[in-house]
């Protein structure tokens, strides 16, 4: 009996480490078709976002908050977007979202060497400690001895939806699919700084 509990505890700890991480529950809810009409694209419908995460990749929110400007409210919760992060109470719309995103596995994550280092770019939603919820983009150097926040920006005037694609080493962000508006993030090697270019509407 004396050996059983330590063995059970060891087995539980081993499986907790060895078992694959479970996908996060959906935290963005897309409103079902209503007065706006059944033919409206799902990514421009009303959405509600309720992020609850306490870290992005391997970074605790405290590390991210340390990089924010002193005028910006710190984050109390954040989650990265994935194809499984969006849901809808309407079964047909939920199925449409799943089918659409199944063909776009890289819509929310990319890598870039724009600074000369290999960076991981992620998009998601944050909830500030002041209660504001909005999309963000973060660039992380995961190859550093201690993963480092290289760049972070909040899109406080956007809806919860944000998508990303790579164009060369630049990163192109949009709040919709199949539309003409985009914000492109580039890096000036000579000046050593990031800069934005607005394209389209």
């Amino acid at each position: 009996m004396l050996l059983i509990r330590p063995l059970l505890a060891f087995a539980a700890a081993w499986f907790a480490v060895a078992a694959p991480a479970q996908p996060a529950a959906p935290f963005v809810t897309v409103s079902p078709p209503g007065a706006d009409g059944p033919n409206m694209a799902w990514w421009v419908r009303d959405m509600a976002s309720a992020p609850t995460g306490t870290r992005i990749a391997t970074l605790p929110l405290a590390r991210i908050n340390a990089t924010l400007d002193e005028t910006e409210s710190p984050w109390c919760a954040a989650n990265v977007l994935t194809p499984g992060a969006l849901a809808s109470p309407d079964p047909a719309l939920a199925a449409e979202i799943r089918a659409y995103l199944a063909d776009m596995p890289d819509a929310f994550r990319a890598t870039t060497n724009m600074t000369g280092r290999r960076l991981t770019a992620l998009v998601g939603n944050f909830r500030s400690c002041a209660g504001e919820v909005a999309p963000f983009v973060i660039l992380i150097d995961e190859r550093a001895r201690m993963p480092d926040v290289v760049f972070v920006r909040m899109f406080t005037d956007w809806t919860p939806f944000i998508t990303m694609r790579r164009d060369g080493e630049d990163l192109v962000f949009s709040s919709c699919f199949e539309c003409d508006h985009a914000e492109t993030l580039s890096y000036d090697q000579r000046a050593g700084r990031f800069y934005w270019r607005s394209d389209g509407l």
Side-chain angles (χ1 to χ4, degrees), residues 63 70 166 190:
R63 292 276 306 283
E70 60 183 12
R166 204 172 92 168
R190 179 172 296 180

Side-chain angles (χ1 to χ4, degrees), residues 2-199:
L2 293 177
L3 291 174
I4 292 177
R5 287 186 180 178
L7 287 172
L8 289 175
F10 173 80
W14 188 88
F15 279 112
V17 173
Q22 296 299 311
F27 66 93
V28 177
T29 303
V30 183
S31 297
D36 49 11
N39 297 321
M40 177 179 285
W42 61 263
W43 53 83
V44 294
R45 293 188 179 280
D46 289 337
M47 298 185 187
S49 178
T52 59
T54 58
R55 62 178 54 239
I56 296 298
T58 59
L59 291 168
L61 294 187
R63 292 276 306 283
I64 299 170
N65 287 334
T67 69
L68 301 182
D69 187 272
E70 60 183 12
T71 63
E72 297 169 322
S73 176
W75 298 5
C76 276
N79 290 95
V80 295
L81 281 167
T82 65
L86 295 101
S88 175
D90 181 89
L93 184 56
E96 179 186 344
I97 294 170
R98 286 195 301 271
Y100 196 99
L101 293 178
D103 294 330
M104 307 190 74
D106 300 323
F108 308 116
R109 181 185 181 97
T111 59
T112 176
N113 296 298
M114 67 168 68
T115 66
R117 292 184 289 171
R118 185 175 178 83
L119 305 177
T120 300
L122 302 166
V123 293
N125 286 184
F126 74 94
R127 175 173 55 80
S128 77
C129 298
E132 181 179 35
V133 177
F136 68 83
V137 55
I138 188 168
L139 272 63
I140 303 171
D141 183 356
E142 294 186 295
R143 295 190 172 190
R145 184 166 56 181
M146 180 177 291
D148 187 29
V149 179
V150 177
F151 178 86
V152 62
R153 178 191 167 180
M154 289 83 79
F155 294 80
T156 54
D157 56 344
W158 286 21
T159 71
F161 187 73
I162 181 172
T163 184
M164 165 176 55
R165 63 180 174 83
R166 204 172 92 168
D167 181 10
E169 296 300 336
D170 294 346
L171 296 171
V172 183
F173 303 88
S174 182
S175 60
C176 56
F177 291 119
E178 303 174 23
C179 61
D180 295 327
H181 174 259
E183 299 288 335
T184 300
L185 178 65
S186 304
Y187 187 78
D188 186 330
Q189 292 279 359
R190 179 172 296 180
R193 66 178 182 84
F194 292 94
Y195 64 94
W196 289 92
R197 182 179 74 252
S198 183
D199 300 309

